[in-house]
Amino acid sequence: AQSVTQLGSHVSVSEGALVLLRCNYSSSVPPYLFWYVQYPNQGLQLLLKYTTGATLVKGINGFEAEFKKSETSFHLTKPSAHMSDAAEYFCAVREYSSASKIIFGSGTRLSIRP
Amino acid sequence: DAGVIQSPRHEVTEMGQEVTLRCKPISGHNSLFWYRQTMMRGLELLIYFNNNVPIDDSGMPEDRFSAKMPNASFSTLKIQPSEPRDSAVYFCASSQTGNTEAFFGQGTRLTVV
């Protein structure tokens, strides 16, 4: 069965500092992996995804994530945080089929200090 | 495209009443998901459909919850009777064969008093 673990329900960084949000997954087959962002009172928006090929994927708003199969991880990073990055971030996994379900982690709330 | 459309955006109802949430997926998408989001339990998958057929409803909390997808452009999630613990934000999402990600609606905030 698939599952996703996000370490840290709340992360706080200073503006301009590195953002690192951690995600580990378990899946019986090579998965699709996603990061979504949710702003207050809104739906979830896709930040980036890994399907196949290059393990370092770039997304919107300067975010990127690296798929590490040996560590079953898909951590999200951004070199320099901006105030507008404050939001809830969700890691998600989908088994290697576009007809399978998508399971989300518990989310990490990112706060940016001025 | 207008994206995934959910209605209503907000619903306040009294305990014991029937509640129906509606979703229109993106045209051409053939997978549809219903999620529930609460502070305590996070984002839970309730049920998902492929080509209008329910594939996995193991996340539906109890028999008070039911979901239908009569055609490719419409789905409903019904709660009957509703209880205060059903208060949450309910999201609908859809995806297309050949693509991997799901696109989310704006959600329905349900409050049961």
Side-chain angles (χ1 to χ4, degrees), chain A residues 36 38 49 94 99 101-102, chain B residues 35 37 50 56 100-102:
Chain A
Y36 282 81
Q38 184 182 32
K49 64 180 180 181
R94 188 175 200 182
K101 58 187 176 183
I102 303 175
Chain B
Y35 290 90
Q37 185 177 37
N50 274 337
D56 185 345
T100 58
E101 69 269 28

Side-chain angles (χ1 to χ4, degrees), chain B residues 1-53:
Chain B
D1 198 315
V4 176
I5 299 173
Q6 293 186 246
S7 64
R9 288 294 310 277
H10 303 274
E11 176 80 36
V12 180
T13 191
E14 292 186 347
M15 182 174 62
Q17 296 297 305
E18 175 181 303
V19 175
T20 300
L21 311 182
R22 297 172 175 80
C23 175
K24 177 179 170 55
I26 294 172
S27 177
H29 284 197
N30 62 339
S31 292
L32 185 138
F33 308 83
W34 282 101
Y35 290 90
R36 178 173 68 175
Q37 185 177 37
T38 61
M39 289 291 292
M40 292 297 294
R41 301 176 69 89
L43 198 62
E44 303 173 276
L45 177 64
L46 300 178
I47 184 172
Y48 81 104
F49 297 83
N50 274 337
N51 297 319
N52 312 338
V53 176

Side-chain angles (χ1 to χ4, degrees), chain A residues 11-30:
Chain A
V11 170
S12 179
V13 302
S14 298
E15 189 173 21
L18 171 71
V19 174
L20 171 61
L21 305 182
R22 300 178 186 275
C23 172
N24 288 89
Y25 70 92
S26 68
S27 177
S28 58
V29 296

